Amino acid sequence: MLPCEPWTSLMLGVATAGLYLRMPESRWLSRAVTAAFALSAFLMGLLLVGGANLMTGVLLGLAAFAAQMLAALILTHGLPVMDRIHLGLAQQNGITAVILALAFERDFPGFVAVIAPAILTVNLVYVLANRISDTWGRRRPLPSTPQ
């Protein structure tokens, strides 16, 4: 087991508190998440001075996207097809991956060099796949409603 700094256990406490505590106005939460993502992406960029491992990162990103799609399709069995597709194509903005990459870089040099391209790949595939899905969804006829 890896040695754990005392402050790192606070991350679990903050994450757990986030499950129960909600800010009264979602605008502030959205701004805070956007600012945290920008700051963490900047910090990760500082660690890419030595370059990025593009091929490994792209493969990891594609695998992560495929795993999300597969898990969503399995877990949403019984829902309408379009709902299953949209849930399979859903993804977060990558802030957790960025924070984890920053945390692991100290113990595993080169970690960020793989994770940064993976995050970029997941986001690019997300945009492309959702555009294709939206275009395909608009071309499909709407199911008729029973009268």
Side-chain angles (χ1 to χ4, degrees):
M1 183 146 164
L2 294 173
C4 185
E5 297 287 332
W7 66 269
T8 58
S9 61
L10 293 176
M11 296 281 255
L12 179 60
V14 170
T16 303
L19 293 172
Y20 301 102
L21 301 176
R22 297 286 182 239
M23 296 181 86
E25 194 171 336
S26 63
R27 268 188 335 192
W28 292 104
L29 180 61
S30 176
R31 288 179 186 165
V33 168
T34 301
F37 183 64
L39 178 62
S40 59
F42 173 76
L43 293 172
M44 190 166 66
L46 292 177
L47 295 174
L48 287 174
V49 173
N53 189 338
L54 290 178
M55 185 56 70
T56 305
V58 168
L59 289 174
L60 177 63
L62 292 172
F65 192 87
Q68 158 71 22
M69 183 65 131
L70 181 63
L73 291 176
I74 291 170
L75 295 172
T76 59
H77 180 71
L79 291 178
V81 173
M82 285 310 294
D83 289 347
R84 295 180 75 199
I85 289 172
H86 282 291
L87 288 170
L89 295 177
Q91 62 98 28
Q92 300 298 314
N93 61 14
I95 193 166
T96 304
V98 171
I99 292 169
L100 287 173
L102 293 171
F104 283 122
E105 179 66 25
R106 186 187 72 193
D107 295 326
F108 304 104
F111 201 78
V112 169
V114 174
I115 300 300
I119 293 168
L120 182 61
T121 299
V122 167
N123 282 291
L124 289 174
V125 172
Y126 166 77
V127 168
L128 181 64
N130 277 281
R131 291 247 168 103
I132 291 170
S133 172
D134 290 344
T135 301
W136 179 70
R138 274 185 250 140
R139 291 184 181 163
R140 289 186 69 218
L142 293 173
S144 60
T145 55
Q147 300 205 5

